[in-house]
Amino acid sequence: MSELRFREIWDKSFDGMRLLDKDGRIVMVNPALCSLIGKSRTDLEGQFLDIMFDPEEAQRIRESAVRRFRDNIIEPYLERQIKLWNGKELWVELSNSSIDLHDGEHFLLSIFRDITERKFAEKEIRLTNEKLAQINSQKDKFFSIIAHDLRSPFQGLLGLTEIMVEDSGSLTLRELNDISRSINKSATVLYELLVNLLEWSQMQRGSFDFAPKSLNILQIAEKNVETIRPVAAQKNISLDLDIPPNLKIYADEKMINSVIRNFLSNGVKFTNKGGNVKISAKMKNPGIIQISVSDNGTGMTEEYKNKLFKIDERIGYNGTEGEPSSGLGLLLCKEFVEKNGGTIEVETEFGKGSKFSILIPSAK
């Protein structure tokens, strides 16, 4: 190849090209390398290759390159992250080869290709794939829990309706009332599970409308207390409210309703007959309101408390009257509260009761 042709290829290459001598001194660079490094040809040629890199790494890089060139240990191809003299970090695809130009003197030709954007794209793809794998894993676990927890109430419904079909003529009024109550309990459990499943599915698909607005906490609490009151009455559990009338939060109404409803439902579920469940609210810090649901029920051990809000932990157990619980409601509560810029706190003592609180932004 003529020197003119060589120069034309050298100068017009889109990849950065550098020629080193055996001492690590830069003999030639092309315009593409100058652009990549941020230094001119005059700045680079005749200097040791240290000049290209971060001062803390430069000497080590030069000594390694000289040693490998001298011992003929040349890596023909590698991808490496480098830090330049000006602190800029790049990912480069580096091709190395030993060449003879004249008088048998060997030089190291290195060709640099900037692959930083490709590396970032690969990282984004990897993170996306990891996130998708995590979502799929959570979905599988969620549906596994749902399938397990749907089985019992359906078995109960099938068994009870079978009795009614086969023995309806011989059942007393009291027996029919007992069966009706059991059917109602199983249907209630099924309904709660299906509501949780629907809301979780909407959250995962991003189809749960998020419309935060100013909400009066007392009005929200009163509505949910009235919803749960018939269930509480069956266990003779009193429901108390301690909320200032003008306290307001900024949140999505459907999500906050779901959170308070789940907290109240759990409070009643895990409180003994004749117990008490209380919902309260106060200004915790400037701009932050604390809404709490406390009970004097069974409470939890510290080990059990640490398993809350984790989909990979199986935590469901029955309430004080055998009411089933899957723990799915708390998973939803966590997602809903975080979506509204809040957090959940749990205080509990085994045998004495629990207090579930959300810290949520106040309305301005």
Side-chain angles (χ1 to χ4, degrees):
M1 181 187 297
S2 68
E3 183 175 346
L4 183 62
R5 179 61 175 154
F6 174 81
R7 274 290 181 184
E8 183 180 10
I9 295 173
W10 181 268
D11 289 337
K12 291 185 178 180
S13 171
F14 289 107
D15 293 327
M17 304 175 76
R18 180 194 67 193
L19 205 62
L20 284 183
D21 67 14
K22 60 182 179 59
D23 298 318
R25 194 182 300 273
I26 301 171
V27 178
M28 290 176 62
V29 292
N30 72 341
L33 186 73
C34 294
S35 177
L36 184 68
I37 300 301
K39 283 184 176 289
S40 68
R41 179 174 280 174
T42 304
D43 292 333
L44 294 171
E45 290 181 349
Q47 302 295 322
F48 288 111
L49 65 86
D50 308 39
I51 196 172
M52 294 173 52
F53 301 105
D54 178 70
E56 293 184 2
E57 296 289 321
Q59 185 175 351
R60 181 190 61 80
I61 293 173
R62 176 164 65 94
E63 290 174 353
S64 175
V66 169
R67 183 176 64 255
R68 288 174 174 275
F69 189 29
R70 182 191 63 219
D71 298 337
N72 199 30
I73 307 174
I74 298 173
E75 295 181 89
Y77 174 84
L78 66 152
E79 293 181 357
R80 176 169 294 168
Q81 189 174 27
I82 61 174
K83 189 173 183 180
L84 300 179
W85 61 276
N86 56 6
K88 184 178 180 181
E89 294 185 355
L90 297 173
W91 272 96
V92 293
E93 183 181 88
L94 189 58
S95 301
N96 296 306
S97 57
S98 176
I99 63 172
D100 297 329
L101 288 185
H102 51 76
D103 300 330
E105 187 175 0
H106 296 289
F107 295 89
L108 178 65
L109 173 63
S110 299
I111 301 175
F112 294 78
R113 175 170 294 176
D114 186 355
I115 58 171
T116 305
E117 289 187 6
R118 192 190 84 193
K119 282 292 184 181
F120 282 146
E122 289 175 353
K123 182 179 180 181
E124 287 298 316
I125 292 171
R126 185 174 67 255
L127 292 175
T128 299
N129 287 337
E130 289 173 358
K131 186 176 180 180
L132 287 173
Q134 182 183 22
I135 291 172
N136 283 332
S137 175
Q138 289 179 344
K139 180 186 68 176
D140 292 342
K141 289 173 183 174
F142 190 90
F143 283 116
S144 174
I145 294 171
I146 284 289
H148 178 274
D149 291 331
L150 283 175
R151 188 179 299 119
S152 294
F154 265 122
Q155 286 175 339
L157 280 173
L158 290 172
L160 291 167
T161 53
E162 185 177 341
I163 292 173
M164 294 183 71
V165 169
E166 294 179 355
D167 303 325
S168 59
S170 61
L171 292 172
T172 66
L173 183 60
R174 181 174 180 178
E175 288 172 333
L176 283 171
N177 285 335
D178 289 341
I179 290 174
S180 297
R181 279 194 294 270
S182 296
I183 289 175
N184 178 261
K185 184 182 292 185
S186 295
T188 300
V189 172
L190 285 171
Y191 177 76
E192 290 178 353
L193 283 170
L194 291 173
V195 167
N196 285 337
L197 175 60
L198 176 62
E199 291 180 345
W200 183 87
S201 174
Q202 289 175 327
M203 279 291 291
Q204 299 307 308
R205 290 185 287 110
S207 60
F208 202 110
D209 292 334
F210 181 61
K213 61 181 180 179
S214 178
L215 301 172
N216 182 286
I217 304 173
L218 180 58
Q219 292 175 3
I220 295 287
E222 286 176 336
K223 182 170 65 175
N224 283 282
V225 164
E226 289 309 308
T227 300
I228 205 74
R229 194 176 294 282
V231 180
Q234 293 176 10
K235 297 174 71 174
N236 195 29
I237 291 173
S238 60
L239 299 173
D240 295 335
L241 289 93
D242 181 17
I243 301 173
N246 297 320
L247 206 57
K248 294 182 179 181
I249 59 173
Y250 186 76
D252 181 272
E253 186 171 3
K254 287 174 64 178
M255 291 184 179
I256 293 303
N257 268 318
S258 180
V259 171
I260 293 176
R261 184 180 67 244
N262 269 287
F263 282 2
L264 286 170
S265 176
N266 284 342
V268 171
K269 191 177 295 181
F270 297 105
T271 297
N272 293 304
K273 287 183 176 181
N276 173 261
V277 175
K278 177 181 178 181
I279 179 167
S280 59
K282 64 180 181 180
M283 185 70 74
K284 178 76 171 179
N285 297 309
I288 299 295
I289 289 176
Q290 177 179 304
I291 305 173
S292 302
V293 174
S294 56
D295 62 65
N296 58 356
T298 59
M300 294 174 281
T301 63
E302 192 67 21
E303 179 184 4
Y304 189 89
K305 173 188 168 184
N306 292 333
K307 293 180 180 180
L308 298 176
F309 312 110
K310 298 177 181 177
I311 197 169
D312 55 346
E313 294 284 358
R314 193 80 174 91
I315 64 169
Y317 70 97
N318 291 342
T320 58
E321 295 297 309
E323 307 100 317
S325 173
S326 65
L328 296 179
L330 290 180
L331 294 175
L332 281 169
C333 288
K334 182 175 185 293
E335 291 202 30
F336 286 164
V337 171
E338 290 178 351
K339 179 72 173 177
N340 283 277
T343 57
I344 295 180
E345 294 180 349
V346 180
E347 302 172 46
T348 186
E349 186 174 351
F350 185 68
K352 293 190 176 181
S354 300
K355 180 179 179 180
F356 283 76
S357 301
I358 61 172
L359 302 178
I360 207 84
S362 63
K364 296 180 180 179

